[in-house]
Amino acid sequence: MSRITSHVLDTSLGRPAAGVSVTLSAQGKDGSWKELGRGVTDADGRAKDLLPEGSELTVGTYRLTFDTAAYFRACQTDAFFPGVEVVFLVGDVKQRYHIPLLLSPFGYSTYRGS
């Protein structure tokens, strides 16, 4: 399992959001973003392998980008936010960073999980 993971829950349906594409990026010193990995949430709404095996986690700013438009299209639901970007800091490379996303067609929230 990667040191950066996510769990997406569709609060409008009360179940995990399966099939959500997630991209992990890191911000460079010049402010540009570099894609590090991609994943798709499983049947339990979890993305466990965002940081490819063998990749080293470094101190810095990271971003998870969730393709919510495709997810809601697949659910045949109109939604307001076509994508969600969650930017967070990694300060201790020995820790695990779990970023849950609580999602509905017209809102979302996130937090640092465990």
Side-chain angles (χ1 to χ4, degrees), residues 9-13 68 72 79-81 102-109:
L9 300 169
D10 185 332
T11 59
S12 68
L13 299 175
T68 56
F72 282 117
F80 185 69
F81 297 103
L102 305 176
L103 184 62
S104 77
F106 298 101
Y108 62 89
S109 65

Side-chain angles (χ1 to χ4, degrees), residues 7-112:
H7 189 194
V8 184
L9 300 169
D10 185 332
T11 59
S12 68
L13 299 175
R15 65 179 186 218
V20 177
S21 294
V22 185
T23 304
L24 172 65
S25 304
Q27 190 173 43
K29 292 182 182 186
D30 64 355
S32 65
W33 291 97
K34 177 185 177 189
E35 183 177 313
L36 301 178
R38 290 178 168 266
V40 177
T41 57
D42 62 17
D44 194 34
R46 297 181 184 276
K48 300 175 188 172
D49 298 317
L50 296 172
L51 190 63
E53 194 169 324
S55 296
E56 193 170 315
L57 188 62
T58 59
V59 170
T61 304
Y62 290 79
R63 176 179 70 191
L64 289 178
T65 304
F66 299 87
D67 185 359
T68 56
Y71 169 75
F72 282 117
R73 261 194 316 275
C75 293
Q76 299 179 342
T77 301
D78 291 331
F80 185 69
F81 297 103
V84 172
E85 292 185 348
V86 178
V87 178
F88 60 98
L89 299 173
V90 168
D92 181 353
V93 298
K94 294 182 181 179
Q95 290 189 28
R96 186 170 162 258
Y97 293 85
H98 183 65
I99 316 295
L101 179 67
L102 305 176
L103 184 62
S104 77
F106 298 101
Y108 62 89
S109 65
T110 187
Y111 58 95
R112 181 169 180 190

